[in-house]
Amino acid sequence: MRKSYRSEFFTISRRDFLLLSAASAVSAATGCATNPVSGRRQLMLLSESKELELDQTWAPHQFSADYGAVQDDQLNAYISLVGDGIAAETHRPSMPYNFRALNATCVNAYTFPAGSIGVARGLLLEMNNESQLAAVLGHELGHVNARHAARQMTKNLLITFGVLALTSYIEHENKKYAGLAAGLGMIGGNMLLCRYSRANERESDSLGMEYMTRANHNPKGMAEIMEIFIKLQKEKPGVVDLLFSTHPMSDERYSNAQDELRTKYTDTSSRSTNVQRYMDHTAGIRAQSAAIKEMQNGSDAMMEEKLDKAESHFAAALKHAPSDYTALLMMAKCCLARKQISTALRYAQEAKSVYSSEPQAMHVMGMAKTESLMYDSALDDFTSYETALPGNPNTIFYKGLCHEKMNHVSQSASEYQRYLNEAPDGEFAEHVQKRLIEWGYMAPPQTEKKQSK
């Protein structure tokens, strides 16, 4: 039986790990920075320049794992307009903020350390006015301005040098479903999507209300979006699992928002919540609501490993939206998991045709072709994916594997050496080391000799 080389895990690159580990050894004096919000000095081992570097490196990977930005220029322009207006009123207005609506159907929003912010279609579908959108974006901007990711990574590095301490929420699609079927593994961006503490959430709520109010939005949107989350948690808990894993929700947060409305923002109650403007710009999302709900149900079924049920939901989604990139790729991954390789390849190719600039489809195509022993063509897909999104060690491994299966020993060894450099303790490290030793590119490990008494 031919072995399938798939991974759930991906480790931080050796370069970044050494850099961050070395940073943990610096003195408190050299590691201190002024918090932009409080103005107080505090230990911060992640510099602003490193925040920016990590953001620019990994945000594109996470956005692609969430099926890329929606193909609706007007909607993305609207999200950016609202976000930019709020960002201008923050404590760090010069950060390179960028905002986009993502094709992911989960109810989620997140930010990277330097302000790359994404809002999933599933969340946009649950909201009904611009104030709620402003609250979501303001909250994420609160995390960036208070430097919560940098503070959390500093705390983790002081606790342990272990790579696992830098990881955050990596389950959901990327573990059982997308990572297994698409071969993407644990995308590096997930390291920066922190599990925020309740204190972080309270601070970001308060900052978000402050920022959105300065930008002339009605801050009651913050309380309203929390009402939506609390209702979803009771009625459809699976829909908000991903969001709550990184942004813990509580009745306390809702109460705090209401208290601030009563005490700090009493003069804002007459402001418009811009219902019609929000509805106009999200009309395309609402037209996809039936398909989005089927995809949500299909994702839940995949997580439960009910593949027949998942396929039925994805088929229903495609009836509602035949050219939906996410639905096509979800179906492709489901078919891969069911070993329906030729069908998976067909759906992945169709996904690429409807959204040629989004690279995830190329990786799924490469996986399907690898399963079909079409190594030469699979190599082309993995190469194209890496050109578009460099930095994923799993892609490097699959390139090496394709060369290995075609008996291109030197080319395979080159890719495998690159893999070990990026992920020395990765899922495929054992296989890679074994081949490099067999081919004479690596010395076998030395066994310790027993000392004679």
Side-chain angles (χ1 to χ4, degrees):
M1 181 177 177
R2 179 166 49 86
K3 185 176 181 180
S4 177
Y5 295 92
R6 296 174 179 171
S7 172
E8 299 180 36
F9 306 106
F10 159 62
T11 58
I12 189 171
S13 74
R14 177 180 293 176
R15 177 180 64 85
D16 280 338
F17 175 60
L18 292 176
L19 186 152
L20 290 169
S21 296
S24 66
V26 302
S27 68
T30 58
C32 280
T34 300
N35 184 292
V37 172
S38 68
R40 295 192 298 267
R41 298 281 289 174
Q42 62 185 140
L43 183 62
M44 195 78 72
L45 300 179
L46 196 69
S47 68
E48 288 194 12
S49 62
K50 190 61 183 176
E51 279 183 314
L52 180 59
E53 180 186 339
L54 292 173
D55 189 307
Q56 291 177 337
T57 299
W58 296 120
H61 282 274
Q62 187 61 46
F63 291 150
S64 180
D66 284 326
Y67 306 97
V70 298
Q71 294 167 281
D72 183 337
D73 292 340
Q74 289 187 338
L75 175 57
N76 278 311
Y78 171 64
I79 300 288
S80 295
L81 181 67
V82 175
D84 288 340
I86 302 171
E89 303 296 335
T90 65
H91 291 84
R92 304 172 79 186
S94 62
M95 294 295 286
Y97 298 108
N98 61 86
F99 307 85
R100 73 206 67 198
L102 298 169
N103 275 315
T105 59
C106 54
V107 175
N108 197 23
Y110 54 82
T111 184
F112 282 80
S116 292
I117 296 174
V119 185
R121 277 192 297 179
L123 177 52
L124 290 169
L125 190 60
E126 296 294 337
M127 296 188 287
N128 52 54
N129 65 54
E130 187 174 288
S131 292
Q132 294 165 10
L133 172 63
V136 169
L137 299 180
H139 178 93
E140 298 304 333
L141 287 166
H143 285 307
V144 176
N145 280 266
R147 301 193 68 195
H148 286 156
R151 286 158 63 182
Q152 187 63 38
M153 293 181 78
T154 295
K155 179 181 176 181
N156 288 342
L157 283 165
L158 291 174
I159 294 172
T160 175
F161 289 167
V163 173
L164 290 178
L166 299 177
T167 63
S168 60
Y169 182 78
I170 61 171
E171 293 84 10
H172 205 64
E173 280 192 332
N174 283 338
K175 182 176 180 183
K176 273 193 173 181
Y177 167 18
L180 288 175
L184 295 173
M186 184 184 116
I187 304 301
N190 285 292
M191 295 183 303
L192 307 180
L193 302 183
C194 294
R195 287 179 182 268
Y196 296 115
S197 68
R198 293 189 183 276
N200 289 159
E201 290 299 282
R202 285 194 298 270
E203 185 175 28
S204 288
D205 291 341
S206 183
L207 287 171
M209 293 181 77
E210 177 183 342
Y211 298 154
M212 66 187 290
T213 303
R214 289 180 187 173
N216 205 35
H217 293 283
N218 192 324
K220 77 175 184 180
M222 186 67 77
E224 289 177 351
I225 195 66
M226 290 181 188
E227 288 176 354
I228 291 172
F229 292 156
I230 291 170
K231 182 180 179 182
L232 286 172
Q233 188 177 30
K234 293 177 181 177
E235 297 179 356
K236 297 186 289 184
V239 173
V240 289
D241 279 349
L242 183 60
L243 176 68
F244 286 178
S245 70
T246 55
H247 295 74
M249 187 61 204
S250 66
D251 290 336
E252 179 195 13
R253 286 180 59 192
Y254 176 58
S255 296
N256 289 343
Q258 288 187 313
D259 287 343
E260 291 207 18
L261 285 173
R262 285 192 296 266
T263 58
K264 293 176 64 176
Y265 303 110
T266 54
D267 59 342
T268 65
S269 59
S270 62
R271 288 184 182 179
S272 173
T273 59
N274 294 313
V275 175
Q276 194 57 53
R277 184 160 63 189
Y278 183 82
M279 290 296 182
D280 289 344
H281 282 93
T282 58
I285 297 287
R286 295 178 189 287
Q288 301 164 344
S289 62
I292 289 172
K293 289 176 181 177
E294 290 290 356
M295 285 182 266
Q296 290 173 340
N297 292 334
S299 293
D300 289 343
M302 287 292 289
M303 290 298 296
E304 296 171 1
E305 300 183 18
K306 298 177 180 178
L307 302 184
D308 289 349
K309 186 176 180 181
E311 184 175 349
S312 295
H313 283 301
F314 296 144
L318 286 168
K319 285 184 179 179
H320 291 295
S323 297
D324 189 273
Y325 178 74
T326 307
L328 289 166
L329 268 189
M330 284 182 168
M331 179 63 94
K333 294 174 188 178
C334 183
C335 291
L336 270 179
R338 300 192 68 193
K339 300 297 182 182
Q340 299 170 350
I341 308 304
S342 60
T343 305
L345 179 57
R346 176 169 59 82
Y347 278 112
Q349 289 171 329
E350 190 171 348
K352 183 176 182 292
S353 71
V354 301
Y355 198 170
S356 60
S357 61
E358 209 307 295
Q360 188 184 160
M362 289 185 284
H363 213 288
V364 178
M365 287 167 56
M367 290 298 298
K369 292 174 183 178
T370 300
E371 293 286 344
S372 298
L373 312 184
M374 300 163 60
Y375 299 117
D376 193 16
S377 184
L379 180 61
D380 289 339
D381 290 328
F382 291 132
T383 299
S384 295
Y385 177 88
E386 189 180 27
T387 299
L389 276 180
N392 189 339
N394 275 19
T395 309
I396 299 171
F397 169 78
Y398 287 119
K399 289 175 67 177
L401 180 65
C402 289
H403 280 300
E404 178 188 340
K405 295 299 184 180
M406 293 187 290
N407 296 315
H408 301 162
V409 173
S410 62
Q411 295 97 320
S412 180
S414 177
E415 298 295 348
Y416 282 169
Q417 286 169 329
R418 279 210 302 144
Y419 175 82
L420 284 183
N421 185 59
E422 292 297 316
D425 299 311
E427 175 78 0
F428 306 124
E430 184 178 351
H431 172 87
V432 167
Q433 290 169 350
K434 181 179 178 181
R435 290 293 181 265
L436 291 175
I437 291 170
E438 287 177 357
W439 297 335
Y441 288 87
M442 177 182 286
Q446 299 214 350
T447 56
E448 296 183 7
K449 295 182 180 179
K450 292 183 179 180
Q451 294 183 348
S452 56
K453 296 183 179 179

